[in-house]
Amino acid sequence: MLELRHDGSTPLVAQITEGIRALIEGHTLKPGSKLPSIRAFAAKHGVSVFTVVEAYDRLVALGLIHSRANAGFFITRSAVLAQDDASPEREKPVFDTAWFLRQIFENRDWPLIPGCGWLPDDWMFADGIRRGLRKLATQELTLSGYGDPMGLLALRQFIAQNLVQELRIQAQSQQVLLTHGSSQGMDLVARALIQPGDTVLIDDPGYPNLMSLLRSHGAQLVGVPRTRTGYDLTALEQLLQQHRPKAFFTQPRLQSPTGSSVSLAQMHQVLQWASQHDFMVVENDIYADMDTSQQLSLASLDQLQRVIYLGNYSKTISPNFRVGFLLAHPQVVEQLVQLKMLSGLTSSEVAEQLMLNVVTDGRWRKHLKHLHERLAKAHDFVAQQLQNLGFELYCEPREGMYLWARHPAIEDSTVMVEAAVQSQILLGAGRLFFVNSQPTGWLRFNVAFGVQPPLWQWLEQWLTQRQLLNPKKLL
Amino acid sequence: MLELRHDGSTPLVAQITEGIRALIEGHTLKPGSKLPSIRAFAAKHGVSVFTVVEAYDRLVALGLIHSRANAGFFITRSAVLAQDDASPEREKPVFDTAWFLRQIFENRDWPLIPGCGWLPDDWMFADGIRRGLRKLATQELTLSGYGDPMGLLALRQFIAQNLVQELRIQAQSQQVLLTHGSSQGMDLVARALIQPGDTVLIDDPGYPNLMSLLRSHGAQLVGVPRTRTGYDLTALEQLLQQHRPKAFFTQPRLQSPTGSSVSLAQMHQVLQWASQHDFMVVENDIYADMDTSQQLSLASLDQLQRVIYLGNYSKTISPNFRVGFLLAHPQVVEQLVQLKMLSGLTSSEVAEQLMLNVVTDGRWRKHLKHLHERLAKAHDFVAQQLQNLGFELYCEPREGMYLWARHPAIEDSTVMVEAAVQSQILLGAGRLFFVNSQPTGWLRFNVAFGVQPPLWQWLEQWLTQRQLLNPKKLL
């Protein structure tokens, strides 16, 4: 029913998106009916699974289709109506995770990007990095060869020692695998664990790029609802009755987007269930360096039996070196290192040596302490500003990078995000963080980019124009 | 029939390898019978496809099973016999690609590694790299953010200009995608192009790690025989009658392992067939910098319509920075950049800036010229040594890194490779380079590591012990 042209004049994703849209509009695809599975569609039309994932994602974002866990994709009942309303704007770029990521990455130079996931340049450890680079120029470097497939031994030893001290994870350096950022770590773990059709649990809301990655490996995602204090364990227990997940990808500490953290008792419960229901736990702990409470982690309890632990220095030193690490059971590491070599040989020993220079720099701890203080102040300021404008805060961690907030009068924050882009302001659109991309009022604010007055001026003006700042209107 | 234990006491690959071996020995699996497909086995036993690929690879290397293109894996008729002979040595490590890669990477410090794929440290551009690092320490670096998803613009512009000048590929910088080494480029291309079950053509002999990578994506590999002067076009034409390949992964220039190069006329023919039979051509041109003849490439003819072109500076500057690049049609680049972000966000802008500093260093061209002269001398020396010992040379390129050679009295060079390992010498075992891992007398010699006398002393001694140096014995 859908004919794709492989001649290259129109991108395949657009052909699929537009083709299915046309079939829905023409009532060939009836509301409530099921679309072919991603694999089946890909096989039938001779396109890559990735292309179909992206096209379906766009259709979900457009509200034309929706996914049901373990059941597949269905035409949304209100799709035709929604479509008729939207048709004059068809030229507008599709608002989805790929679009948002592109906005973030292509507009890195915009002054106001509270929707992004990194700290401003002048918050980074620039001095330390310069010292690290100068040191690197004098160090004995191995230029030939590809370095150790596991990554630079000295950095692995440093990480292992650090994690013993700070998180009481008793890992040997042989259990530390260095990766090209923690994103490569995620990809390796997904490749090793997931087969098409597998059910995978994930924080909901959680990390959009991870959701796309897992789907590209054929995972059926099931969201584990976050609460202000961690997981919704009642919901998780029910999900475990219905599904047989292969793994749970989660970020217990200072989570993106909510800023919430999970208690040790909750971690203990999740690990018990992981054992009973036989699934792996993939712990993304990339905000550990920002946590002054030094709470332990899932891996601290489990000691890398079922937990694969991922970390990096991207958030506090620089994402630009692309040095991440993961810790796991030796047998898992064995499998991952082979996958690492298959898909990119080794990681960069030069970048790893530079990172080691920086984290062993005498002023690194002091810089981190300064960063904590600066983040805490930014949290207080942004929380106050948001509350002044009538926003509700999800929780107030006063640490990490994010505040998750919504305005009670705004049901779908997408309208605000799209308006902000016109003023070169990038807001963190809440729906992108949900497994089912449902419309939501929530927004993610990176507090470090929230200290600039123009952001609040813009928000105030936008809310005023819509008469949403008068408290009487809110009642 | 095969029960796997997921409790982690024995690695799954070993369980599968040993399990199938036992079933063959016990005659439960009859000679000539077919094994389940990789996907089917993985699904049935709840293990990853990668695990099964590796186990089957090991069984192929052990001579217990063999693959037939597009048909699957079969128990080798002589397997039981071969096994009986080999059983006292069962403790010996399995000799396969994974084993060899591990040997290479774990024994990088051995003095004699003519089997490896890089140049010795003192052949690299160490001065230039040090200058590049010092310059980097003074440069304005963006520390926050992840850099452009496509890679550092200035390096992409440099590469595009260079390829216009040297290979007449009319590419814009938007068609240049920087990757974490060309290995990541291969992986992205494989992900985008290949679906499980797809037939993929590949140089035979060719690059072992690429074969494993493609198989891990579910590709059925069909080898395109190399000749001393390029491709066996008669064989390729026949293969195209039998198969409908999705892509041809090839290295036309100074190919590893053979050292042979393909003529422009052959390239023209292959591209015509690619158009007629609708397959993509993935051109791995990582030895371009070593080619003084400046021959054009597949991409020079096709101008990136059907050709995806991959290159890097790993071979002449350092593999340690992990900076590679690929050029493709804008629509293909679009798809690949999204896959790149999914699987690892951006590449390292710091490493890319360093690489740009090095390739724009005033002495870089001079260093390259010196390298060419040194390689030519090494080619002559190693060719002479091999011929003195009775070896036959496949061809004599006098450029690039490799000589492909065999001794007429040695049918399976694996015995020589295994003996050499005992003396901490790593030889390039020929069978690893063949799609079907068949026993072969050929060996790959990295000429830069062939200038050391102990290698020739060892080879002479080994051949003398077997009375293979007396010409009369050879007749």
Side-chain angles (χ1 to χ4, degrees):
Chain A
M1 58 191 197
L2 186 62
E3 291 269 287
L4 300 182
R5 298 176 309 282
H6 291 258
D7 60 356
S9 57
T10 311
L12 286 167
V13 171
Q15 286 186 47
I16 299 168
T17 315
E18 289 307 310
I20 291 177
R21 184 210 287 267
L23 291 169
I24 293 171
E25 285 181 41
H27 296 272
T28 309
L29 285 173
K30 303 278 184 262
S33 65
K34 191 171 183 289
L35 284 176
S37 77
I38 286 168
R39 293 256 149 195
F41 191 103
K44 185 175 169 194
H45 293 277
V47 296
S48 83
V49 168
F50 177 75
T51 301
V52 185
V53 167
E54 202 193 329
Y56 279 21
D57 272 356
R58 287 194 186 181
L59 290 164
V60 168
L62 281 167
L64 292 171
I65 69 172
H66 59 278
S67 70
R68 288 191 218 134
N70 269 5
F73 289 87
F74 297 83
I75 312 300
T76 300
R77 294 205 178 270
S78 59
V80 180
L81 194 63
Q83 189 38 48
D84 289 342
D85 289 343
S87 45
E89 288 176 292
R90 193 178 299 178
E91 293 305 308
K92 209 170 67 174
V94 177
F95 179 80
D96 62 4
T97 302
W99 174 87
F100 189 70
L101 266 175
R102 179 147 305 189
Q103 288 293 324
I104 292 182
F105 281 89
E106 287 180 358
N107 301 311
R108 297 184 304 286
D109 302 331
W110 285 5
L112 285 174
I113 47 173
C116 80
W118 58 80
L119 294 177
D121 237 47
D122 61 347
W123 290 52
M124 308 308 276
F125 189 36
D127 278 3
I129 291 167
R130 264 172 230 299
R131 278 193 296 276
L133 276 169
R134 282 197 297 268
K135 189 172 170 186
L136 191 62
T138 67
Q139 279 168 316
E140 199 62 46
L141 290 175
T142 305
L143 301 176
S144 67
Y146 287 80
D148 187 325
M150 298 277 290
L152 186 72
L153 179 61
L155 182 56
R156 287 191 284 124
Q157 286 168 336
F158 176 86
I159 290 168
Q161 276 169 17
N162 234 31
L163 288 174
V164 169
Q165 278 170 25
E166 298 188 354
L167 293 181
R168 298 184 218 157
I169 303 171
Q170 302 294 329
Q172 307 295 310
S173 58
Q174 306 95 287
Q175 285 178 267
V176 183
L177 178 66
L178 301 186
T179 55
H180 180 65
S182 49
S183 300
Q184 191 202 19
M186 297 279 186
D187 186 47
L188 296 177
V189 170
R191 282 193 194 206
L193 294 184
I194 299 170
Q195 295 179 65
D198 280 349
T199 297
V200 172
L201 301 176
I202 188 165
D203 292 341
D204 192 18
Y207 179 34
N209 207 38
L210 176 61
M211 294 176 191
S212 302
L213 171 69
L214 294 171
R215 284 187 173 125
S216 81
H217 287 290
Q220 298 282 341
L221 298 187
V222 173
V224 177
R226 292 289 292 212
T227 68
R228 286 163 170 83
T229 54
Y231 304 121
D232 181 341
L233 288 183
T234 314
L236 177 54
E237 192 170 22
Q238 280 170 3
L239 291 172
L240 291 172
Q241 302 307 317
Q242 297 159 33
H243 302 283
R244 302 226 357 109
K246 199 73 159 274
F248 179 20
F249 282 73
T250 181
Q251 186 166 63
R253 191 195 310 270
L254 297 174
Q255 194 236 6
S256 166
T258 63
S260 70
S261 290
V262 174
S263 71
L264 275 184
Q266 282 208 337
M267 292 183 192
H268 171 64
Q269 177 62 72
V270 166
L271 290 170
Q272 278 191 312
W273 284 336
S275 171
Q276 279 166 34
H277 296 272
D278 192 22
F279 60 85
M280 295 289 285
V281 178
V282 185
E283 177 173 32
N284 173 356
D285 200 19
I286 60 172
Y287 297 105
D289 269 348
M290 293 187 178
D291 181 13
T292 59
S293 76
Q294 299 202 297
Q295 158 150 307
L296 299 184
S297 77
L298 284 161
S300 315
L301 297 180
D302 163 87
Q303 294 295 323
L304 305 173
Q305 292 304 301
R306 281 191 176 273
V307 173
I308 300 174
Y309 178 93
L310 292 107
N312 66 26
Y313 298 107
S314 296
K315 300 297 174 183
T316 49
I317 294 178
S318 171
N320 225 324
F321 303 121
R322 313 306 298 129
V323 177
F325 56 86
L326 67 82
L327 283 83
H329 189 280
Q331 281 187 359
V332 175
V333 171
E334 174 86 357
Q335 200 181 353
L336 294 175
V337 73
Q338 294 201 24
L339 274 172
K340 178 183 168 185
M341 293 191 71
L342 259 192
S343 59
L345 292 175
T346 59
S347 38
S348 170
E349 248 184 28
V350 173
E352 288 160 6
Q353 180 64 56
L354 174 59
M355 194 56 92
L356 182 62
N357 292 351
V358 177
V359 290
T360 54
D361 182 284
R363 293 189 208 154
W364 161 236
R365 288 283 145 196
K366 199 175 160 189
H367 165 78
L368 209 51
K369 190 160 172 284
H370 177 59
L371 189 64
H372 293 152
E373 290 163 4
R374 217 169 160 185
L375 280 168
K377 272 187 207 158
H379 266 280
D380 291 344
F381 177 79
V382 173
Q384 190 58 57
Q385 294 292 322
L386 286 169
Q387 284 167 325
N388 289 349
L389 293 174
F391 278 84
E392 171 198 351
L393 302 179
Y394 187 77
C395 59
E396 291 187 64
R398 300 194 68 238
E399 294 192 304
M401 285 165 61
Y402 307 114
L403 274 173
W404 186 234
R406 69 176 165 191
H407 195 284
I410 295 163
E411 281 182 29
D412 183 356
S413 58
T414 309
V415 287
M416 199 190 283
V417 176
E418 291 182 333
V421 165
Q422 306 305 316
S423 303
Q424 301 209 332
I425 296 172
L426 205 67
L427 297 176
R431 63 189 291 177
L432 300 177
F433 297 91
F434 285 99
V435 171
N436 292 318
S437 306
Q438 70 263 30
T440 174
W442 294 104
L443 290 160
R444 187 187 76 173
F445 287 88
N446 177 336
V447 295
F449 284 93
V451 294
Q452 295 145 303
L455 171 64
W456 306 107
Q457 287 156 10
W458 184 88
L459 277 174
E460 186 175 347
Q461 194 179 22
W462 192 84
L463 291 166
T464 307
Q465 278 167 0
R466 274 149 203 80
Q467 300 186 295
L468 298 174
L469 266 195
N470 183 337
K472 283 175 201 154
K473 296 268 175 196
L474 298 179
L475 297 176
Chain B
M1 59 190 196
L2 186 62
E3 291 270 289
L4 300 182
R5 297 175 310 282
H6 291 259
D7 61 358
S9 56
T10 311
L12 285 167
V13 171
Q15 286 187 47
I16 298 169
T17 316
E18 289 307 310
I20 291 177
R21 183 210 286 269
L23 291 169
I24 293 171
E25 286 181 40
H27 296 272
T28 308
L29 286 173
K30 304 275 184 266
S33 65
K34 190 170 183 290
L35 283 177
S37 77
I38 286 169
R39 292 258 149 196
F41 191 101
K44 185 175 169 195
H45 293 277
V47 296
S48 81
V49 168
F50 175 76
T51 301
V52 185
V53 167
E54 203 194 329
Y56 279 20
D57 271 358
R58 287 194 187 180
L59 289 164
V60 168
L62 281 166
L64 291 171
I65 69 173
H66 58 276
S67 69
R68 288 190 219 134
N70 269 4
F73 289 87
F74 296 83
I75 312 299
T76 301
R77 294 204 179 271
S78 59
V80 180
L81 195 63
Q83 189 38 47
D84 288 342
D85 290 343
S87 46
E89 288 176 292
R90 193 178 297 179
E91 293 304 308
K92 210 169 68 174
V94 176
F95 179 81
D96 61 4
T97 302
W99 173 87
F100 189 70
L101 265 175
R102 179 148 304 189
Q103 288 292 323
I104 291 182
F105 280 89
E106 287 181 358
N107 302 311
R108 297 183 304 286
D109 302 332
W110 285 4
L112 284 174
I113 47 174
C116 80
W118 58 79
L119 294 176
D121 237 47
D122 61 347
W123 289 53
M124 308 307 277
F125 189 36
D127 277 3
I129 291 168
R130 265 173 228 295
R131 277 192 296 276
L133 277 168
R134 282 198 297 270
K135 188 171 172 188
L136 191 63
T138 67
Q139 278 168 316
E140 199 64 44
L141 291 175
T142 305
L143 301 176
S144 67
Y146 288 80
D148 186 327
M150 298 278 290
L152 186 73
L153 178 61
L155 182 57
R156 287 191 284 124
Q157 286 168 335
F158 176 87
I159 290 167
Q161 276 169 17
N162 234 31
L163 288 174
V164 169
Q165 279 170 25
E166 297 188 355
L167 293 182
R168 298 183 219 157
I169 304 171
Q170 301 295 330
Q172 307 295 310
S173 58
Q174 305 95 286
Q175 285 178 267
V176 183
L177 178 66
L178 302 187
T179 55
H180 180 67
S182 49
S183 300
Q184 191 202 18
M186 297 278 185
D187 186 47
L188 295 177
V189 170
R191 281 194 195 206
L193 294 184
I194 299 169
Q195 295 179 68
D198 280 348
T199 297
V200 172
L201 300 176
I202 188 166
D203 291 341
D204 193 17
Y207 179 34
N209 207 39
L210 176 61
M211 294 175 191
S212 301
L213 171 69
L214 295 171
R215 284 185 173 128
S216 82
H217 286 291
Q220 298 281 343
L221 299 187
V222 173
V224 177
R226 292 289 292 212
T227 68
R228 286 162 168 84
T229 54
Y231 305 121
D232 180 341
L233 289 182
T234 314
L236 177 54
E237 192 170 22
Q238 279 170 2
L239 291 172
L240 290 172
Q241 302 308 316
Q242 297 158 34
H243 301 284
R244 302 227 357 108
K246 199 73 160 276
F248 179 20
F249 282 73
T250 181
Q251 186 165 62
R253 191 195 309 270
L254 296 174
Q255 194 234 7
S256 166
T258 62
S260 69
S261 291
V262 174
S263 70
L264 276 184
Q266 282 209 337
M267 291 184 194
H268 171 64
Q269 178 61 72
V270 166
L271 289 169
Q272 278 191 314
W273 284 335
S275 172
Q276 278 166 34
H277 297 270
D278 192 22
F279 60 85
M280 295 289 285
V281 178
V282 185
E283 177 173 32
N284 173 355
D285 200 20
I286 60 171
Y287 297 106
D289 270 348
M290 294 186 178
D291 181 13
T292 59
S293 77
Q294 298 200 299
Q295 158 149 307
L296 299 184
S297 77
L298 285 161
S300 315
L301 297 180
D302 163 87
Q303 294 296 323
L304 304 173
Q305 292 303 301
R306 281 193 175 273
V307 173
I308 300 174
Y309 178 92
L310 292 107
N312 66 25
Y313 298 107
S314 294
K315 300 297 174 184
T316 50
I317 294 178
S318 171
N320 224 324
F321 303 121
R322 314 305 299 128
V323 177
F325 56 86
L326 67 82
L327 283 82
H329 189 280
Q331 282 187 1
V332 175
V333 171
E334 174 86 357
Q335 200 181 355
L336 295 175
V337 73
Q338 294 200 27
L339 274 173
K340 177 183 168 184
M341 292 191 70
L342 258 193
S343 59
L345 292 175
T346 58
S347 38
S348 171
E349 247 184 31
V350 173
E352 288 160 7
Q353 180 64 56
L354 174 57
M355 194 56 92
L356 182 62
N357 292 350
V358 177
V359 290
T360 54
D361 183 283
R363 292 190 210 153
W364 161 236
R365 288 283 144 197
K366 200 174 162 190
H367 165 77
L368 209 52
K369 191 160 171 282
H370 178 59
L371 189 64
H372 293 152
E373 291 162 5
R374 216 169 161 185
L375 279 168
K377 272 187 207 157
H379 265 280
D380 291 343
F381 177 79
V382 173
Q384 190 58 58
Q385 294 293 322
L386 286 169
Q387 284 167 325
N388 288 351
L389 293 173
F391 278 84
E392 171 198 350
L393 302 179
Y394 188 78
C395 59
E396 291 187 65
R398 300 194 68 238
E399 294 193 304
M401 286 165 59
Y402 306 115
L403 275 173
W404 186 234
R406 68 176 166 191
H407 195 284
I410 295 162
E411 282 182 27
D412 183 357
S413 59
T414 308
V415 287
M416 197 189 282
V417 176
E418 290 182 334
V421 165
Q422 306 305 316
S423 304
Q424 301 210 330
I425 297 172
L426 205 67
L427 297 176
R431 65 189 290 178
L432 300 177
F433 297 91
F434 285 99
V435 171
N436 292 318
S437 306
Q438 70 263 30
T440 174
W442 293 102
L443 290 160
R444 187 188 75 172
F445 288 88
N446 178 335
V447 295
F449 284 92
V451 293
Q452 295 144 304
L455 170 65
W456 306 108
Q457 288 156 11
W458 184 88
L459 277 174
E460 186 174 348
Q461 193 179 20
W462 192 84
L463 291 166
T464 308
Q465 279 168 359
R466 274 150 202 80
Q467 301 186 295
L468 298 173
L469 267 194
N470 183 337
K472 283 178 200 150
K473 295 268 176 195
L474 298 179
L475 298 176

